Amino acid sequence: MSYPYQIKSFEAYQEAYQKSIQDPEAFWSAIAEHFTWKKKWDKVLEWNFTEPKVEWFKGGKLNITENCLDRHLATKGNHPAIIWEPNAPDENHRILTYKKLHEKVCQFAHLLKNNGVKKGDRVCIYMGMIPELAIAVLACARIGAIHSVVFGGFSAQSIADRLEDAKAEFIVTCDGAYRGAKDIPLKSVIDDALIGNKTVKRVIVATRTRTPVSMIKGRDVCWEDEMKQVEEKGITFIEAEAMDAEDPLFILYTSGSTGKPKGVVHTVAGYMIYTNYTFVNVFQYEPGQVHFCTADIGWITGHSYIVYGPLSAGATSLLFEGVPTWPDAGRFWDIVDKYKVNILYTAPTAIRSLMGFGLGPLQGKNLSSLKVLGTVGEPINEEAWHWYDEHVGKKKCPIVDTWWQTETGGCLISNLAGITPAKPGWATLPMPGLQMVLVDENGKEIIQEGEETISGNLCIKAPWPSILRTTYGDHERCRTNYFATYKNMYFTGDGALKNKDGFFRITGRVDDVLNVSGHRIGTAEVENAINMHAGVVESAVVGYPHDIKGQGIYAYVIYQGSHTQDTHGTGDLVRKDILQTVTRIIGAIAKPDKIQFVSGLPKTRSGKIMRRILRKIAEGETENLGDTSTLLDPGVVDEIKNGRL
Ligand code: WTA
């Protein structure tokens, strides 16, 4: 067997699950034995959910890059670690073998050190999907710097907020990024983010688009020039920093129900072990296979299943710079055909969007290399599931529906490809080590009786190795967000069903977080951005079902600016002003799909907005709005109903 801890039958899954619950310490330490440690741990697990405090493999010393790179050199030095497919199909692709990637990471780690980066420093990485992004991430981990990757779609203001929160002193970026027909000027966004910033000392700029950039003396340096200096010295290696198992590996900002994104912190050992374990088991990876995860490294899926999970398993990970629909909607299929991809892991929103182009783009594409398909990020509707199964997997590939979160580090509920049963629309069974429960509003566990399907809020009773440890700089926020709603439990923010077989179906967020095209966006965050527009008095944002994006953003806005009377009198220009404002404050990904101008919002006497009503109207439900008797001004509801877009 290629990975001693790879589960090969349904019985083996059941056995692993039992063991993991009866004796989690024995279970996870047996897996941890298969990794490279500089020093063994003193204690496998220490935890309580009241502070909260979770420590896995405390006292152990290791470096994740030795596990992702060095340990594969003897046997896989010449195997591809990363295959990079550029945005434009006619540009040459690149292959980085384990040896090459190791060398580049060591060299860039030197470069970081030459520029003053030390263990524990925060490095913000804002780049397109080029191999240098993975190199920068791994080089930080090599020297113990904490990376914080910010997705290339976020605005200057979002970056500025994250830089400040993380107190980052270093940035790695590119001149620009290619995404489909677009050329995004990343460095100039960074320049805007740095206006007024006093903490950032150094910006390292890689060249990709050769778009003009302003390079500020003393602050900005060029990746290629700096690399040349390292290479000319003949340096190809740097000792990996000995990290404590519980030292932070990275910060990744994600949206919650408040206006300000949270810096989710993951630590070295637990994250490494869990992403590796789930990569090997969920996808049933076999050595030599090509794994293609279509996410961006700016999101957790890219961190865990493009970089750390696959590389720690010595796998070949395909990194794609572009988008699924450019130059045409056959791009994914061309890539599968070209590199003989075995595992394709993508988002339901991408599947739905490709479905819209019909079967034409699939014609003539050889997809016979595919063995396993996966989805992540949002519930998958059955229609999309069957399309994926029939037209992509040709009914021969198991589909894994992986449910997880930025905070969970790796996937927590999923079938194991071809090993445990799949059920369309259901994420199915928990991974070993995961004690999932459904609770009612009062936190009381809902006990399943007989064959009934139960429904409730999804919580977890005990820690797994890659649970978040804190939210950066504000531990109390971590406690109140995840561990205070229900006593002694981690609350996911999702609702779920559990059927007679113990399968889970995720029904969506129960908090004020939207899931738009698989991207997490807080309603409060969007409201704050809309309210920044000078003419806006107040706004309320809710989600509504959207055919392709899963959820769309619906904004109700009270507007009193002088721009109301635009040339057509429709408010369209004002809508555009508001969209522009949201793009500036958060980024284009948070732009509302619909903006309805209203004269008031439905509020209770205590001033709380009744979102339930707004949600129903946005969904098209205008009759059964529930109890409106507690509203301050019930009349406003009729106005909103009549003006529905
Ligand atoms: C949703 C992405 C249904 C869920 C890895 C969760 C899903 C949020 C699934 C986390 C799935 C993720 N089925 N819903 N398979 N996977 N979600 O932090 O609401 O970007 O809480 O992590 O996405 O989003 P995040």
Side-chain angles (χ1 to χ4, degrees):
M1 206 190 293
S2 18
Y3 301 95
Y5 43 86
Q6 194 169 43
I7 294 168
K8 285 294 182 195
S9 67
F10 188 54
E11 295 68 41
Y13 160 76
Q14 287 173 315
E15 199 185 310
Y17 188 83
Q18 284 311 325
K19 269 195 192 153
S20 74
I21 303 304
Q22 278 155 12
D23 193 349
E25 298 197 25
F27 180 81
W28 289 110
S29 62
I31 292 161
E33 295 284 351
H34 295 285
F35 292 79
T36 301
W37 295 83
K38 289 175 184 285
K39 175 183 167 283
K40 277 284 158 68
W41 53 91
D42 301 322
K43 180 104 182 55
V44 180
L45 174 63
E46 188 97 43
W47 71 284
N48 70 70
F49 276 174
T50 39
E51 288 177 61
K53 176 175 109 168
V54 178
E55 290 175 343
W56 283 96
F57 306 105
K58 188 77 182 154
K61 297 274 184 200
L62 76 163
N63 188 291
I64 195 167
T65 69
E66 283 191 335
N67 285 278
C68 287
L69 302 170
D70 304 57
R71 70 166 170 158
H72 307 311
L73 291 181
T75 51
K76 295 192 173 132
N78 296 321
H79 289 217
I82 291 178
I83 297 176
W84 177 69
E85 169 70 9
N87 183 55
D90 54 3
E91 189 183 337
N92 287 340
H93 69 274
R94 282 166 65 189
I95 292 182
L96 282 91
T97 60
Y98 271 94
K99 188 161 174 286
K100 195 69 188 165
L101 182 61
H102 177 261
E103 185 181 298
K104 290 277 166 222
V105 168
C106 285
Q107 288 172 333
F108 193 68
H110 262 284
L111 190 163
L112 289 173
K113 281 202 156 176
N114 292 346
N115 280 281
V117 183
K118 299 182 305 298
K119 179 177 177 179
D121 287 346
R122 275 81 51 216
V123 179
C124 168
I125 302 179
Y126 185 67
M127 301 174 88
M129 284 284 283
I130 53 177
E132 283 65 28
L133 167 52
I135 292 169
V137 161
L138 292 163
C140 286
R142 187 81 176 173
I143 63 172
I146 302 168
H147 57 78
S148 175
V149 184
V150 178
F151 173 63
F154 281 112
S155 70
Q157 183 64 52
S158 290
I159 301 166
D161 294 345
R162 286 159 173 75
L163 288 171
E164 188 185 305
D165 190 80
K167 297 184 187 58
E169 290 176 331
F170 304 92
I171 298 177
V172 185
T173 188
C174 314
D175 50 356
Y178 294 124
R179 268 181 76 76
K182 288 195 209 130
D183 175 347
I184 305 153
L186 297 182
K187 171 62 164 60
S188 101
V189 179
I190 290 289
D191 289 336
D192 287 346
L194 287 178
I195 294 169
N197 176 294
K198 295 211 170 45
T199 50
V200 172
K201 294 190 216 154
R202 187 69 85 238
V203 182
I204 299 163
V205 187
T207 307
R208 172 61 185 132
T209 55
R210 198 51 194 97
T211 191
V213 283
S214 70
M215 295 291 283
I216 305 297
K217 194 176 285 164
R219 189 194 72 186
D220 301 350
V221 295
C222 167
W223 174 302
E224 292 77 20
D225 292 349
E226 297 281 301
M227 251 332 214
K228 211 160 159 201
Q229 290 179 20
V230 177
E231 283 162 6
E232 276 169 2
K233 287 189 191 138
I235 294 167
T236 55
F237 180 76
I238 191 168
E239 199 56 59
E241 189 73 33
M243 305 296 287
D244 191 276
E246 280 298 332
D247 276 337
L249 174 64
F250 65 85
I251 305 170
L252 188 57
Y253 284 88
T254 190
S255 297
S257 37
T258 61
K260 209 176 129 224
K262 302 173 285 234
V264 169
V265 175
H266 283 289
T267 56
V268 181
Y271 176 80
M272 171 186 78
I273 290 163
Y274 194 78
T275 53
N276 176 288
Y277 182 78
T278 48
F279 173 71
V280 160
N281 281 299
V282 170
F283 302 105
Q284 290 288 306
Y285 184 83
E286 297 290 340
Q289 289 188 331
V290 177
H291 172 78
F292 177 21
C293 166
T294 71
D296 191 289
I297 295 178
W299 307 108
I300 192 70
T301 307
H303 280 61
S304 302
Y305 299 114
I306 295 177
V307 182
Y308 289 114
L311 296 180
S312 67
T316 297
S317 185
L318 200 150
L319 203 156
F320 172 44
E321 185 182 33
V323 297
T325 49
W326 191 85
D328 59 55
R331 195 64 198 281
F332 277 180
W333 323 129
D334 287 330
I335 296 174
V336 170
D337 193 344
K338 180 171 173 188
Y339 300 104
K340 306 280 164 268
V341 168
N342 304 111
I343 304 168
L344 176 66
Y345 188 32
T346 193
T349 189
I351 300 169
R352 286 191 298 264
S353 127
L354 293 175
M355 269 170 75
F357 290 88
L359 298 178
L362 282 149
Q363 263 157 27
K365 311 292 161 75
N366 184 352
L367 306 184
S368 63
S369 56
L370 286 172
K371 293 265 181 296
V372 173
L373 303 177
T375 72
V376 58
E378 47 177 323
I380 180 161
N381 48 313
E382 291 196 21
E383 198 193 347
W385 195 99
H386 287 295
W387 190 87
Y388 201 29
D389 183 37
E390 273 170 44
H391 302 295
V392 182
K394 319 283 185 203
K395 290 200 167 263
K396 284 190 318 226
C397 304
I399 299 177
V400 290
D401 179 349
T402 65
W403 173 85
W404 56 296
Q405 310 180 297
T406 304
E407 294 84 346
T408 71
C411 126
L412 303 192
I413 305 181
S414 173
N415 47 318
L416 311 181
I419 302 293
T420 64
K423 186 173 164 68
W426 293 68
T428 74
L429 295 167
M431 289 292 122
L434 269 300
Q435 299 186 50
M436 318 298 303
V437 285
L438 297 182
V439 303
D440 65 17
E441 288 92 84
N442 307 315
K444 204 165 148 286
E445 188 172 337
I446 302 166
I447 306 291
Q448 209 165 14
E449 278 166 27
E451 301 253 295
E452 67 171 346
T453 294
I454 54 171
S455 152
N457 291 340
L458 185 63
C459 292
I460 307 171
K461 273 188 182 168
W464 61 100
S466 63
I467 184 175
L468 87 161
R469 300 303 196 264
T470 189
T471 44
Y472 191 79
D474 192 349
H475 194 63
E476 177 58 13
R477 193 157 176 225
C478 174
R479 190 186 71 79
T480 51
N481 255 291
Y482 305 105
F483 300 92
T485 318
Y486 304 116
K487 204 167 180 290
N488 289 326
M489 283 190 243
Y490 167 84
F491 176 41
T492 63
D494 278 315
L497 305 177
K498 185 182 179 188
N499 77 2
K500 61 176 174 29
D501 301 315
F503 288 10
F504 288 90
R505 178 189 185 114
I506 309 301
T507 49
R509 304 285 306 194
V510 294
D511 55 7
D512 293 322
V513 173
L514 306 180
N515 194 327
V516 181
S517 301
H519 298 154
R520 250 168 92 167
I521 298 168
T523 53
E525 230 179 304
V526 183
E527 286 164 9
N528 285 351
I530 294 174
N531 296 349
M532 295 286 282
H533 184 76
V536 171
V537 179
E538 200 179 358
S539 64
V541 165
V542 297
Y544 72 96
H546 188 288
D547 285 348
I548 296 195
K549 300 178 175 186
Q551 261 188 318
I553 304 180
Y554 197 115
Y556 299 90
V557 175
I558 306 176
Y559 187 83
Q560 284 183 354
S562 58
H563 286 80
T564 322
Q565 301 304 323
D566 66 46
T567 44
H568 308 296
T570 56
D572 273 356
L573 286 178
V574 178
R575 283 197 181 89
K576 285 185 184 155
D577 292 342
I578 292 174
L579 295 182
Q580 190 66 21
T581 311
V582 174
T583 305
R584 282 271 171 223
I585 303 294
I586 306 175
I589 53 169
K591 281 198 301 197
D593 300 275
K594 294 184 179 178
I595 297 175
Q596 180 182 347
F597 295 109
V598 295
S599 67
L601 292 166
K603 287 186 179 173
T604 61
R605 289 193 182 84
S606 60
K608 229 180 124 219
I609 297 175
M610 300 262 290
R611 282 166 194 285
R612 177 175 53 79
I613 294 174
L614 293 175
R615 227 176 275 135
K616 284 206 160 163
I617 297 175
E619 283 165 9
E621 165 80 71
T622 47
E623 295 310 315
N624 305 311
L625 294 180
D627 183 13
T628 52
S629 63
T630 55
L631 287 180
L632 191 60
D633 172 15
V636 79
V637 175
D638 286 328
E639 180 212 307
I640 295 177
K641 272 200 305 207
N642 296 334
R644 185 179 164 265
L645 298 172

